[in-house]
């Protein structure tokens, strides 16, 4: 027996590639021209990925050590280009793969977001997704002129209204508003375009949108917040939820919980896919893969700052203050990624910070071995969890790794009938819902 | 030599005319614009400039019906996502996209412009507008626009902040030093800690310094506040002015303002909007222009709607046979002033059936028109023209391969680009 066919997405950022691994080529100096990403998205389309998703943030973190020095020294968290500007090039270079970009409800004016996403959906012929985040760093809020972000649950209340408003703007043009009747000289039928006169608690907008309804009607909406407020929000709107629970039982629990919440909202649970972040380590032989992992772990043990900087930025806690060879002290707090900190403590479970850095993976489960072995591990996990697929987190972020996944792992999955070998539809959502 | 630009929007270009092709369907996809950009690059154009607006017009007739029916100024897509694609398909020509300082968050604009400047290798610029329609304000959750001069005070602060954000990374901040494991040098990236009357931002920007340092800037506001803003900040000004005399006065005034702002007037190129009418012979071009004038004169509704668009006033409610109405506006003051001047002594009907929208008439064979352009620029003192006309392939080719070639033969248009960025090309001569 094997699992039903599942979905693969790629999860990453518009950032420099690796530049000190020995397999870096020249991309780290030129990443901002987008050409690396064009090659990448073409490769992923060849490998039949459902989509590529770009996370995003708007800050140069200076939490670690109280300065941006360490962050910038390594690269990886900043600099980071605006993925909304990159998306059209990627769409132009491809035909079927979905392209999802992160845009924050805390910083975008709703009108601007609705219009920009609608434009991208037209230009990509229905292949755009919006990854909805509320942002979690006060530092980003300061860049936008606020002193701090609104409190966690209020951010979701705002996001709720925001998405409602944006959806109404997309709906302000009927699908058949464009008539293009040359005889009568009528391009758009004005009776099919309406103001929305939206007046909410946080937002107002008159409308209608000043461009045609997006080809998908509503571009694909994705979401990753794992707190109760985040999950509730996801259950109302998301076509896909990105999740990072640790271990197969937690994955099953997460997916079941989302499906239950989606059903409680009166939606069909099969229309919200839950996908889990993984970063497979592949090798020529099983032993080779284990060796690669050991080498990677040892490198982190020697230089754990990279991981600490990441945590410092995302949890807004200065990890440089702590003794590396002791666990994280109990009294540490955050307003930012609450569920991230809670999960971190639970997971760290008394590990010293150094060992936590070594053990930490931005992934829901470890996948390690030859391509075929990893395909089998994914199969087994999906049988247990019930669906709906994986997001590959690029570790390391370079062409060699992309090639290993696209040309090693994917064919192994396809041979087992676990992954698509072509796209059934033109639109991103239709492909996501194909199975 | 002349600087050349093309003025357009990301909207329906032409859909039920003789040479529209598939214009009604392909306007919201990239190919039409890619083809145009490549042609204009062949002809040595400095840039394509995408104007923009965030509202569905409903000033004429008090509702949006006419606008949607005619596909006039709506639907209109966000030009920012189009530019990176155009950049991919070209090497030298530059691109301006319009953003509104009244509603675009400065950090977001700075970051997205920096990103696009990188994606196009330094060929991007922002056209800054303050928005002129209450509907835009209402789409962004306000009841009405901010007051005209207040909008420019905001714009001043806005661009000040955006420039500081672009400057928050030193040019040599990215070191890529493998030995020391240093990607970027933290001591060369600075918070901006901006505290203004309208905007605040901590910074630094979270992406590297744009290739041009500061993406190019363009502006079109013709009011006093608008011109002062332009003289202080921008690399090119696009102007809709009637007649050679006024064009010269406009260029002179920009120069004066620039000197007052401590800048060399050569640093800003003023391009005047024109719509050349070309033909195989001068007579044929004249016929074509005449057919155009007749069609224009017949399109009373369309012309009234244009007035409504520019002023926010409903021109459907005025008596066509009475003098041009005496109204004030918080929208585009300079346009209204121009209309009033041109309409002096005319009824509204006479005004809207006369062809008043061009800076100057350029009609003839490509060589004739090239000669006219030469003469005009000698009188005006610079700097070039902004072509505005139906973006269908036939017209683009007439301009690029007909007029463009004629200009080049006379040494008035560049033969290849000397610089590699938009600003370098603007400053080339
Ligand atoms: C896979 C994944 C991707 C995420 N991507 C982003 C992102 O691009 N930008 C961002 O601000 N937050 C991102 N987050 C953070 C979430 O949006 C969310 O804030 C966080 O998981 C905390 O959950 P909560 O908001 O429900 O408390 C991501 C989280 C996960 C698990
Ligand atoms: C050639 C030209 C192009 C313009 N493009 C735009 C535009 O894209 N978006 C916009 O809102 N306003 C546009 N405007 C309006 C100007 O930004 C400005 O509001 C108007 O010229 C009135 O000037 P003032 O604001 O100084 O009164 C344009 C004006 C001209 C003359």
């Amino acid at each position: 027996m094997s699992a039903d066919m599942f979905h693969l997405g790629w999860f990453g950022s518009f950032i420099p590639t690796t530049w000190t691994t020995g397999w870096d080529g020249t991309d780290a100096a030129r990443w901002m021209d987008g050409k690396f990403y064009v090659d990448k998205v073409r490769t992923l389309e060849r490998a039949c990925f459902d989509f590529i998703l770009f996370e995003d943030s708007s800050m140069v973190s200076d939490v670690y050590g109280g300065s941006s020095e360490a962050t910038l020294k390594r690269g990886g968290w900043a600099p980071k280009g605006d993925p909304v500007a990159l998306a059209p090039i990627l769409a132009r270079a491809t035909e079927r793969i979905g392209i999802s970009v992160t845009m924050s409800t805390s910083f975008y004016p709703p009108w601007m977001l609705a219009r920009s996403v609608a434009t991208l959906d037209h230009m990509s012929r229905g292949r755009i997704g919006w990854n909805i985040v509320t942002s979690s760093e006060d530092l980003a809020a300061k860049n936008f002129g606020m002193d701090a972000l609104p409190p966690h649950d209020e951010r979701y209340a705002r996001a709720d209204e925001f998405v409602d408003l944006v959806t109404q703007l997309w709906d302000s043009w009927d699908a058949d508003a464009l008539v293009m009747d040359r005889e009568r000289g009528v391009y758009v039928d004005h009776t099919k375009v309406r103001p929305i006169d939206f007046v909410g608690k946080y937002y107002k907008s008159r409308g209608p949108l000043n461009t045609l309804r997006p080809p998908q009607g509503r571009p694909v909406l994705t979401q990753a917040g794992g707190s109760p407020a985040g999950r509730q929000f996801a259950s109302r709107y998301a076509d896909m939820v990105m999740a990072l629970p640790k271990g197969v039982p937690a994955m099953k629990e997460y997916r079941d919980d989302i499906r239950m919440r989606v059903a409680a909202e009166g939606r069909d649970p099969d229309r919200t896919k839950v996908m889990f972040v993984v970063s497979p380590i592949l090798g020529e032989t099983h032993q080779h893969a284990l060796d690669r992992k050991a080498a990677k772990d040892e490198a982190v043990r020697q230089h754990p700052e990279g991981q600490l900087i990441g945590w410092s930025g995302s949890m807004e806690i200065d990890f440089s203050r702590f003794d590396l060879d002791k666990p994280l002290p109990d009294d540490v707090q955050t307003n930012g990624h609450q569920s991230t900190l809670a999960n971190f403590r639970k997971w760290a479970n008394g590990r010293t910070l150094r060992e936590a850095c070594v053990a930490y993976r931005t992934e829901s489960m470890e996948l390690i071995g030859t391509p075929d072995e990893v395909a089998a591990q994914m199969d087994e996990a999906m049988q247990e969890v019930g669906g709906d697929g994986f997001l590959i987190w690029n570790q390391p972020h370079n062409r060699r790794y992309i090639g290993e996944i696209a040309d090693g792992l994917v064919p192994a999955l396809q041979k087992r009938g676990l992954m698509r070998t072509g796209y059934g539809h033109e639109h991103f959502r239709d492909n996501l819902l194909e199975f | 030599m002349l600087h050349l630009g093309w003025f357009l929007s990301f909207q329906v270009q032409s859909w039920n005319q003789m040479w529209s092709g598939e214009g009604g369907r392909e306007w919201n996809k990239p190919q039409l614009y890619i083809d145009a950009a490549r042609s204009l690059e062949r002809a040595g154009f400095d840039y394509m400039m995408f104007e923009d607006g965030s509202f569905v017009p409903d000033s004429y007739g008090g509702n949006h019906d006419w606008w949607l029916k005619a596909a006039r100024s709506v639907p209109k897509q966000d030009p920012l996502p189009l530019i990176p694609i155009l950049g991919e398909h070209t090497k030298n020509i530059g691109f301006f996209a319009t953003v509104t300082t009244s509603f675009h968050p400065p950090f977001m604009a700075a970051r997205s412009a920096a990103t696009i400047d990188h994606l196009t290798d330094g060929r991007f610029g922002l056209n800054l507008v303050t928005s002129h329609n209450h509907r835009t304000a209402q789409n962004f959750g306000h009841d009405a626009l901010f007051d005209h001069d207040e909008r420019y005070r905001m714009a001043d602060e806005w661009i000040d902040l955006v420039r500081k954000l672009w400057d928050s990374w030193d040019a040599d901040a990215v070191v890529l030093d493998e030995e020391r494991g240093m990607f970027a040098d933290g001591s060369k990236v600075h918070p901006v800690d901006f505290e203004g009357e309208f905007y605040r931002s901590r910074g630094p920007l979270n992406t590297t310094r744009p290739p041009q340092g500061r993406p190019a800037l363009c502006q079109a506001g013709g009011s006093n506040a608008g011109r002062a803003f332009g003289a202080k900040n921008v690399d090119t000004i696009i102007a809709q002015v009637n007649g050679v005399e006024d064009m010269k006065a406009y260029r002179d005034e920009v120069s004066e303002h620039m000197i007052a702002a401590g800048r060399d007037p050569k640093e800003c190129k003023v391009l005047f909007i024109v719509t050349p009418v070309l033909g195989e012979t001068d007579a044929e071009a004249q016929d074509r222009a005449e057919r155009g004038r007749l069609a224009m004169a017949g399109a009373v509704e369309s012309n009234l709607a244009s007035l409504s668009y520019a002023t926010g006033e409903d021109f459907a409610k005025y008596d066509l046979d009475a003098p041009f109405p005496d109204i004030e506006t918080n929208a585009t003051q300079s346009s209204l002033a121009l209309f009033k001047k041109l309409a002096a002594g005319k009824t509204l009907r006479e005004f809207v059936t006369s062809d008043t929208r061009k800076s100057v008439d350029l009609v003839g064979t490509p060589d004739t028109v090239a000669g006219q352009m030469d003469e005009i620029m000698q009188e005006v003192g610079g700097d070039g023209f902004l072509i505005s006309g139906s973006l269908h392939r036939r017209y683009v080719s007439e301009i690029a391969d007909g007029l463009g070639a004629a200009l080049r033969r006379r040494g008035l248009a560049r033969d290849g680009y000397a610089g590699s960025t938009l600003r370098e090309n603007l400053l080339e001569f």
Side-chain angles (χ1 to χ4, degrees):
Chain A
M1 209 192 103
S2 73
D4 292 337
M5 198 174 270
F6 53 78
H7 300 267
L8 277 197
W10 194 282
F11 175 58
S13 329
F14 185 10
I15 52 172
T17 59
T18 55
W19 56 287
T20 53
T21 67
W23 302 99
D24 314 309
T26 52
D27 294 313
R30 304 209 191 125
W31 61 283
M32 278 299 283
D33 70 12
K35 299 206 169 30
F36 167 80
Y37 289 94
V38 167
D39 293 344
K40 174 172 177 175
V41 73
R42 286 201 169 119
T43 302
L44 297 180
E45 184 170 67
R46 183 160 50 74
C48 297
F49 271 63
D50 275 65
F51 59 87
I52 182 169
L53 185 145
F54 288 87
E55 68 85 42
D56 195 34
S57 57
S58 283
M59 51 151 200
V60 178
S61 178
D62 57 6
V63 179
Y64 182 83
S67 124
S68 62
E69 184 186 340
T71 308
L72 293 170
K73 184 170 168 214
R74 291 183 44 98
W77 306 95
K80 190 180 280 180
D82 180 358
V84 180
L86 179 63
I89 296 186
L90 304 186
R92 181 76 195 166
T94 51
E95 293 289 331
R96 294 298 174 97
I97 190 169
I99 295 159
S100 188
V101 289
T102 298
M103 299 160 96
S104 169
T105 53
S106 295
F107 306 133
Y108 257 92
W111 164 277
M112 193 177 286
L113 186 142
R115 184 162 181 251
S116 154
V117 171
T119 302
L120 286 170
D121 205 42
H122 279 289
M123 290 173 54
S124 63
R125 300 191 153 84
R127 294 188 289 127
I128 284 298
W130 168 27
N131 182 39
I132 309 170
V133 299
T134 63
S135 294
S136 23
E137 303 94 357
D138 285 342
L139 194 49
K142 291 195 175 97
N143 286 333
F144 285 86
M146 311 168 200
D147 291 321
L149 283 170
H152 181 274
D153 286 10
E154 183 187 325
R155 293 207 297 276
Y156 278 107
R158 286 173 168 271
D160 217 292
E161 198 178 296
F162 190 113
V163 177
D164 186 17
L165 164 51
V166 163
T167 309
Q168 288 190 34
L169 283 171
W170 290 328
D171 284 341
S172 65
W173 289 62
D174 291 346
D176 56 355
L178 175 58
V179 291
M180 209 161 67
D181 180 336
R182 289 191 173 82
E183 308 270 278
R184 290 187 302 139
V186 177
Y187 189 74
V188 170
D189 177 351
H190 69 85
T191 64
K192 301 195 163 159
V193 180
R194 293 162 297 273
I196 61 168
D197 291 319
F198 185 98
V199 180
K201 184 165 167 210
Y202 306 105
Y203 302 104
K204 279 166 67 180
S205 181
R206 181 184 183 275
L209 201 60
N210 67 341
T211 192
L212 300 174
R213 185 184 182 78
Q216 297 184 96
R218 198 190 62 181
V220 170
L221 303 183
T222 66
Q223 201 273 351
S227 63
R231 291 187 192 199
Q232 200 52 36
F233 174 80
S235 67
R236 273 196 291 282
Y237 300 107
D239 298 296
M240 191 276 284
V241 172
M242 306 189 286
L244 242 177
K246 302 288 175 176
V248 173
M251 288 158 67
K252 178 166 167 48
E253 205 178 287
Y254 199 115
R255 179 170 181 268
D256 290 346
D257 179 58
I258 293 286
R259 290 175 65 85
M260 193 192 72
R261 288 175 191 261
V262 170
E265 289 287 332
R267 297 174 61 214
D268 176 358
D270 287 339
R271 294 179 67 92
T272 299
K273 305 298 180 192
V274 181
M275 297 178 65
F276 302 95
V277 178
V278 290
S279 15
I281 299 179
L282 301 169
E284 252 100 284
T285 61
H286 188 75
Q287 189 55 45
H288 177 222
L290 294 180
D291 291 347
R292 285 179 92 175
K293 175 176 182 313
K296 223 169 138 174
D297 287 353
E298 193 45 36
V300 175
R301 189 168 285 117
Q302 298 306 321
H303 298 285
E305 313 84 50
Q307 189 53 60
L308 295 174
I309 292 165
W311 289 335
S312 296
S314 64
M315 296 186 235
E316 291 191 300
I317 296 166
D318 178 2
F319 276 82
S320 77
R321 291 187 284 132
F322 310 125
D323 185 341
L324 276 175
D325 296 305
K326 292 218 176 94
L328 181 69
D330 288 338
D331 52 356
V332 177
Q333 294 279 336
T334 178
N335 175 40
H337 295 238
Q338 282 182 16
S339 62
T340 316
L341 177 61
N343 288 340
F344 174 79
R345 283 191 185 288
K346 199 163 134 213
W347 164 83
N349 193 23
R351 282 187 180 92
T352 66
L353 280 177
R354 187 189 302 279
E355 286 311 311
C357 287
V358 173
Y360 188 79
R361 295 276 182 282
T362 305
E363 63 184 0
S364 275
M365 58 182 294
E366 181 172 88
L367 295 170
I368 184 161
T370 64
D372 192 56
E373 285 168 354
V374 169
Q377 292 159 19
M378 292 168 97
D379 183 3
E380 219 173 285
M382 279 297 112
Q383 288 186 44
E384 222 152 299
V385 174
D388 296 292
F390 297 94
L391 289 156
I392 309 285
W393 166 239
N394 32 239
Q395 293 268 23
H397 182 217
N398 59 33
R399 290 173 193 271
R400 186 170 187 251
Y401 185 65
I402 296 164
E404 287 177 356
I405 297 292
D407 301 316
L409 178 59
V410 167
L413 288 168
Q414 287 170 331
K415 209 160 12 168
R416 292 170 175 260
L418 294 171
M419 204 185 154
R420 63 167 90 241
T421 53
Y423 297 87
H425 303 275
E426 291 189 355
H427 290 173
F428 180 4
R429 179 179 290 98
D430 293 340
N431 284 319
L432 195 60
L433 297 181
E434 195 178 339
F435 44 83
Chain B
M1 274 220 257
L2 309 181
H3 291 275
L4 295 171
W6 190 291
F7 179 76
L8 75 167
S9 326
F10 193 2
Q11 65 180 359
V12 180
Q13 303 296 332
S14 153
W15 68 281
N16 61 352
Q17 307 293 315
M18 189 176 286
W19 311 106
S20 303
E22 277 299 300
R25 291 209 183 284
E26 65 172 342
W27 70 272
N28 59 357
K29 309 286 189 300
Q31 195 63 46
L32 178 63
Y33 308 92
I34 293 172
D35 291 348
R38 294 175 73 102
S39 290
L40 299 177
E41 180 169 76
R42 211 164 54 236
F45 272 56
D46 287 74
Y47 60 77
M48 288 171 87
M49 145 68 207
F50 287 84
E51 72 86 47
D52 194 33
S54 277
F55 65 103
V56 176
D58 58 3
S59 43
Y60 179 71
N63 57 50
H64 64 212
D65 304 0
W66 184 84
W67 307 87
L68 290 164
K69 172 173 170 248
R72 258 289 276 286
S73 298
V74 62
K76 187 181 284 183
Q77 300 203 122
D78 180 358
L80 287 171
L82 182 58
I83 309 303
I85 294 184
L86 301 182
E88 281 276 289
H89 290 267
T90 51
K91 284 203 155 43
N92 296 108
I93 189 170
F95 304 97
F96 283 102
T98 298
V99 300
T100 166
T101 54
S102 298
F103 304 111
H104 209 116
F107 189 90
M108 200 171 274
R111 182 163 183 246
S112 109
T115 303
I116 298 176
D117 203 41
H118 278 289
L119 290 169
T120 57
D121 285 321
R123 293 185 287 132
F124 182 56
L126 292 175
N127 174 43
L128 301 177
V129 301
T130 63
S131 290
H132 51 75
N133 195 290
H134 287 306
R135 291 294 182 230
T136 305
Q138 286 158 3
N139 286 333
F140 283 90
H142 302 269
D143 292 328
L145 279 180
F146 314 110
D147 206 50
H148 180 274
D149 285 8
E150 167 136 325
R151 293 204 299 274
Y152 278 103
R153 282 203 296 127
M154 292 172 73
D156 254 321
E157 201 179 294
W158 190 97
I159 190 60
D160 196 17
L161 166 53
V162 164
R163 291 170 74 149
K164 290 202 161 82
L165 286 167
W166 286 329
D167 284 339
S168 65
W169 286 61
D170 293 348
D172 56 354
V174 174
V175 292
L176 278 171
D177 181 336
E178 297 195 15
E179 307 272 281
R180 284 187 297 154
M182 181 180 277
F183 182 86
D185 181 345
S187 69
K188 300 192 165 162
V189 178
H190 323 276
V192 302
D193 289 320
F194 187 93
E195 297 274 345
E197 183 186 349
F198 305 102
Y199 304 104
R200 296 165 65 198
S201 180
R202 181 185 182 280
L205 204 59
N206 66 336
T207 191
T208 56
R209 188 180 182 81
Q212 294 182 97
R214 157 173 72 80
L217 296 174
C218 169
Q219 195 263 352
S223 64
N224 281 336
R227 291 195 203 190
F229 175 82
K232 203 165 122 196
N233 293 298
V234 307
D235 303 289
T236 181
I237 288 176
I238 55 180
Q240 194 175 358
V241 192
N242 239 55
V244 178
E245 243 170 76
D246 287 6
M247 287 163 70
K248 178 169 166 44
Y250 196 106
R251 174 65 254 195
D252 289 346
E253 203 187 317
V254 167
S255 300
E256 279 163 34
H257 275 292
M258 288 185 71
I259 291 166
R263 295 178 67 200
D264 177 350
K266 290 200 196 68
E267 285 173 18
C268 178
K269 307 301 180 193
V270 179
L271 271 59
F272 297 93
I273 295 204
V274 291
T275 307
V277 180
L278 302 169
E280 254 90 293
T281 62
D282 285 345
E284 200 244 339
Q286 291 295 352
D287 280 353
R288 215 173 149 187
E290 185 55 26
R291 286 196 298 276
R293 266 190 287 273
L294 286 173
M296 178 87 170
V300 174
E301 248 199 333
S302 163
N303 298 337
L304 290 171
S306 298
L307 295 180
S308 294
Y309 187 87
T311 60
E313 277 293 313
D314 181 3
F315 274 84
K317 65 183 193 209
Y318 296 110
D319 182 353
L320 277 169
D321 297 307
F324 192 90
D326 190 19
I327 46 178
E328 293 300 326
T329 180
N330 181 32
T332 60
Q333 299 185 348
S334 55
S335 312
L336 185 60
L338 175 64
F339 297 148
K340 282 184 177 170
K341 184 173 154 204
L342 295 170
K346 287 186 180 144
T347 63
L348 180 54
R349 185 191 307 279
E350 284 163 352
F351 176 65
V352 298
T353 55
S354 60
D355 187 1
T356 55
R357 289 170 24 101
K358 286 185 239 99
S359 300
V360 282
D361 270 335
L362 295 173
V363 181
T365 63
D367 191 59
T368 305
V369 170
Q372 292 164 356
M373 290 168 97
D374 188 10
E375 254 168 61
I376 293 166
M377 273 302 120
Q378 289 191 33
E379 235 165 288
V380 172
D383 298 286
F385 295 94
L386 189 66
I387 312 286
S388 152
S390 289
L391 189 93
H392 54 65
R393 288 170 176 89
R394 184 176 190 258
Y395 188 59
V396 171
S397 172
E398 286 178 353
I399 296 295
D401 305 314
L403 180 59
L407 287 169
R408 185 176 299 172
R409 274 193 297 272
R410 287 170 175 260
L412 293 170
R414 59 160 60 90
D415 190 1
Y417 296 79
S420 68
T421 67
L422 172 51
R423 183 174 293 104
E424 280 166 15
N425 288 323
L426 282 170
L427 294 178
E428 188 182 341
F429 43 83

